[in-house]
Amino acid sequence: MSSDLERWWKDLPVLTKYLFVGSFGVTLAANFGLLSPYSLVLIWPKIITEFQLWRLVTCFLFHGKLGFPFLIHMLFLSLESEIFNGRLSDYVWMQVITCSLLLASTLILPSPILGMGLIVSLIYYWSRKNPDVEMSLMFGIRFKSIYFPWVLCAMSLLMGGSPLAELCGIVAGHFYFFFEDIIPRTKGYRLLQTPAFMYVSIDPAEYNSYNRGAQQQATRGPTFTGTGYTLRG
């Protein structure tokens, strides 16, 4: 059992480990009284007037009360290994974009906890990259993976909650998917290209690959890039 757990932990991608440990540590500390939940959530006046900048990070790591939903949230973090395998810089850049969008959304739709929105944005992107995976829910309900984010919204409603966090995550995930996958495929250019300095600072090997790709594209002229995707009506 311990060897299986050790193997599972070793196989987790780097950023997933940080998010996993950070989320578990912050959420457990708040639930056991080691940290005040009020000091972790997103409150813009506290950030702007009192410079409590840590809230910009802890609002993504604090997931509220412990329970089954929290464990499910942690499970979904492992999707990084399926869609960003060997592309740590790209994954970090996606997180920067989606976190920024979620923070901006709170100016219109106030939400003190953004962890679920961040996870749903990842789930949404994964579901669009893998739209035909067969999934099942309790009571034997089966559905295609492309509907998974919307199933999470329905579950939140059925459990008496608000699907606002899930919907914001879907919007952020779709924004990234549209500009990272649809636009390159249809227009031939990437508007959300990961900045070169991130490749250099995070993974030089990725930077070399990025440079080779850029040089080849400059030699060939504009081409349609991005992962293959089948558009469905």
Side-chain angles (χ1 to χ4, degrees), residues 9-122:
W9 177 254
K10 186 178 180 180
D11 290 340
L12 282 179
V14 174
L15 186 54
T16 296
K17 287 182 180 178
Y18 282 116
L19 290 173
F20 192 88
V21 171
S23 297
F24 249 104
V26 171
T27 303
L28 287 175
N31 276 268
F32 285 101
L34 300 177
L35 293 173
S36 168
Y38 180 75
S39 69
L40 303 174
V41 298
L42 184 71
I43 302 177
W44 283 111
K46 292 286 186 181
I47 295 171
I48 296 171
T49 62
E50 299 181 25
F51 300 102
Q52 295 183 5
L53 301 181
W54 65 83
R55 293 178 183 270
L56 295 172
V57 176
T58 56
C59 68
F60 291 102
L61 301 178
F62 177 53
H63 290 257
K65 293 183 179 180
L66 290 176
F68 183 70
F70 171 67
L71 296 178
I72 294 298
H73 295 180
M74 296 300 97
L75 178 64
F76 291 145
L77 285 176
S78 63
L79 290 178
E80 174 195 350
S81 60
E82 295 191 31
I83 54 179
F84 287 99
N85 187 29
R87 297 166 52 213
L88 178 58
S89 303
D90 291 335
Y91 185 48
V92 172
W93 182 236
M94 179 204 179
Q95 297 282 12
V96 169
I97 292 171
T98 52
C99 285
S100 300
L101 290 171
L102 290 169
L103 287 170
S105 72
T106 64
L107 300 176
I108 303 172
L109 302 170
S111 180
I113 300 176
L114 300 178
M116 184 57 180
L118 179 61
I119 291 173
V120 171
S121 69
L122 177 61

Side-chain angles (χ1 to χ4, degrees), residues 202-224:
I202 295 175
D203 191 338
E206 275 189 277
Y207 178 63
N208 294 333
S209 176
Y210 162 77
N211 264 342
R212 285 195 298 270
Q215 291 170 0
Q216 290 173 1
Q217 183 171 342
T219 303
R220 298 194 297 262
T223 59
F224 292 102

Side-chain angles (χ1 to χ4, degrees), residues 149-194:
W150 305 103
V151 170
L152 292 176
C153 290
M155 288 178 60
S156 182
L157 280 174
L158 291 173
M159 295 174 66
S162 168
L164 180 61
E166 288 85 351
L167 290 172
C168 288
I170 287 173
V171 172
H174 184 73
F175 179 93
Y176 183 82
F177 173 74
F178 181 79
F179 285 102
E180 178 64 13
D181 288 75
I182 298 297
I183 290 296
R185 184 172 178 81
T186 58
K187 303 297 183 180
Y189 53 83
R190 293 178 65 188
L191 295 176
L192 297 183
Q193 172 66 52
T194 305

